[in-house]
DNA sequence: TATAAAACGGGACATTTGTCCCACCCCTTT
DNA sequence: AAAGGGGTGGGACAAATGTCCCGTTTTATA
């Protein structure tokens, strides 16, 4: 759910600390609820998140939003546009306060060609993203919302973060109404079986889930 | 819907024709309904489709299938597993008769490092795939099935291919029953407005859609 | 503190989608 | 020709989800 990429972050720290080319890399700051990237715009930077949490989402013409993923430390964004010069696919909006490395397209292209490590990191990142997306989409299409919601709550607690309710709903592709309803039903049934969710949870995390669950 | 990548195909033709390393590349043939890749398996080849159409899908524990995409000429598959050594995410099954270049992982890794063109082609392919997936997922989650179905029919006709009904349903993430029902409703309403679908259609394609639509 | 404005939860109903099942058609086999 | 099997379309009902709306709570502001 909240993706991170420590290896990428580490690379950027090294790179900005030592490489002469890295002068071009700026560090930008974004306040909560402001956008790093705006859907439809043409941009000239690729960002790598240094600190904070963002949401990556698409706004459809009918006013509905669909959140693809939450991007945290070390995640790259704007890379699709950096690879193929097209308009931005989706919005990247800061949920918490965010700082990010801003890599100009020119440098990005240079890195891809001349820095094997960087190239490799990006390749792996894209591969992971595709894999995760596939798993999630399929899961959400083929299982009842109930399961997906439970799983999402578990992930949220496991990562010890708080995501606004409306964002969770948008992530599941449902309305807040449905979200609330399902939540209520789960509570009524008193079913909370993280064992069946295929997520590793410590005892502490499990308690955390239960606590949040009651309070929501 | 049916993805192709002429540039990738062209590269492979050139490469197998001239490069000495390409000895390792075999051409494999697959009969309709057989699998190039089996979900959960460990493989040692990356495939690039030379001819034919395949479907890339995930089978969930509850017996349902979700089709991510239909891969045709020049599309690569098994690349996620080639980049990160993990078990196969999904099934790749031949719909028509298929021939494909089979690239051993060792050569694949070598190409990524030593052949800038290949590296670039893969990067672009992954980028396109992510983009397309995002667009589609969002569309399917946030619009009524009716729209998605209409759009799918249009795409199918525009590319002049035939996809079995059950595969179309699996692509939309719905049951055949729902598929049939929606189809019937559309026919009853006699609504078929490809203008609103954001797909470029020639007059001939439009007629083709209408024809198929009536016959289904 | 009082009051308006905005966010929130959930009831009631409408719509959409899934499940179950049966009738029909087209094969094949005997 | 008769019987059986597999695939297909759709009716009837159940379940899930969305839409509309209202009363309550929270927040902001004078």
């Amino acid at each position: 759910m909240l993706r991170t990429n420590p290896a990428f972050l580490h690379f950027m720290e090294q790179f900005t600390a030592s490489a002469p080319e890295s002068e071009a890399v700026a560090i930008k700051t974004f306040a909560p609820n402001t956008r790093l990237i705006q859907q439809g715009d043409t941009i000239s930077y690729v960002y790598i998140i240094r600190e904070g949490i963002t949401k990556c989402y698409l706004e459809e013409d009918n006013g509905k939003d669909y959140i693809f993923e939450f991007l945290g430390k070390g995640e790259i964004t704007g890379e699709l546009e950096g690879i193929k010069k097209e308009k931005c696919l989706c919005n990247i909006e800061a949920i918490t306060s965010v700082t990010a490395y801003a890599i100009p397209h020119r440098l990005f292209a240079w890195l891809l060609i001349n820095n094997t490590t960087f190239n490799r990191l990006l390749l792996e990142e894209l591969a992971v993203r595709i894999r995760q997306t596939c798993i999630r989409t399929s899961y959400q299409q083929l299982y009842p919302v109930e399961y997906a919601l439970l799983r999402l709550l578990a992930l949220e607690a496991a990562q010890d973060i708080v995501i606004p309710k409306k964002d969770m709903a948008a992530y599941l592709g449902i309305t807040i109404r449905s979200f609330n309803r399902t939540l209520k039903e789960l509570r009524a049934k008193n079913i909370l079986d993280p064992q069946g969710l295929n997520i590793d949870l410590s005892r502490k995390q499990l308690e955390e889930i239960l606590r949040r669950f009651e309070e929501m």
Side-chain angles (χ1 to χ4, degrees), chain A:
Chain A
M1 176 183 58
L2 171 60
R3 243 158 259 174
T4 59
N5 191 333
F8 228 134
L9 186 60
H10 183 246
F11 174 88
M12 285 310 293
E13 284 165 354
Q14 298 287 100
F15 183 71
T16 51
S18 58
E21 298 88 355
S22 70
E23 287 179 8
V25 178
I27 291 182
K28 294 196 181 180
T29 308
F30 301 88
N33 300 318
T34 60
R35 294 185 180 171
L36 286 75
I37 293 178
Q38 167 99 21
Q39 179 175 345
D41 279 4
T42 303
I43 53 171
S44 44
Y45 295 97
V46 167
Y47 297 98
I48 291 178
I49 298 170
R50 213 176 58 142
E51 190 62 59
I53 298 175
T54 65
K55 61 176 174 181
C56 164
Y57 69 103
L58 224 159
E59 275 183 286
E60 293 287 352
D61 292 338
N62 61 8
K64 298 182 178 177
D65 292 349
Y66 184 72
I67 297 182
F68 296 108
E69 42 202 358
F70 297 97
L71 303 177
K73 283 191 178 189
E75 286 294 321
I76 189 168
T77 182
E79 79 289 352
L80 300 189
E81 294 76 13
I83 294 172
K84 292 183 80 85
K85 305 293 180 213
E86 296 190 68
K87 290 188 179 164
C88 292
L89 178 62
C90 49
N91 300 295
I92 309 291
E93 187 174 312
I95 292 182
T96 65
S97 176
V98 166
T99 60
Y101 296 102
I103 307 172
H105 275 182
R106 184 181 300 269
L107 175 58
F108 178 70
W110 183 88
L111 277 167
L112 278 184
I113 294 170
N114 299 299
N115 190 309
T116 329
T117 309
F118 186 82
N119 185 294
R120 182 73 197 173
L121 281 170
L122 183 61
L123 223 41
E124 294 201 357
E125 169 65 22
L126 295 183
V128 171
R129 235 173 242 192
I130 289 178
R131 177 174 278 263
Q132 296 290 105
T133 306
C134 283
I135 293 172
R136 171 160 92 93
T137 318
S138 172
Y139 198 83
Q140 284 186 8
Q141 289 270 353
L142 304 183
Y143 286 93
V145 180
E146 198 167 289
Y147 294 162
L149 192 153
L150 216 41
R151 191 181 205 189
L152 183 55
L153 286 180
L155 282 171
E156 196 203 11
Q159 303 196 32
D160 196 28
I161 53 174
V162 177
I163 305 283
K165 221 183 222 191
K166 67 173 196 316
D167 286 344
M168 291 225 215
Y171 183 80
L172 294 173
I174 58 178
T175 60
I176 295 197
R177 182 70 193 90
S178 300
F179 187 90
N180 280 328
R181 179 165 27 215
T182 310
L183 211 54
K184 204 186 152 202
E185 280 162 8
L186 283 172
R187 252 193 304 254
K189 285 200 254 171
N190 210 11
I191 289 177
L192 196 53
D193 176 21
Q195 255 61 24
L197 295 175
N198 249 358
I199 300 169
D200 283 334
L201 291 172
S202 69
R203 166 147 201 79
K204 199 176 143 223
Q205 285 165 349
L206 221 150
E207 279 165 15
E208 176 64 13
I209 295 176
L210 281 164
R211 201 186 58 68
R212 293 187 183 208
F213 191 62
E214 289 309 323
E215 286 186 0
M216 260 192 130

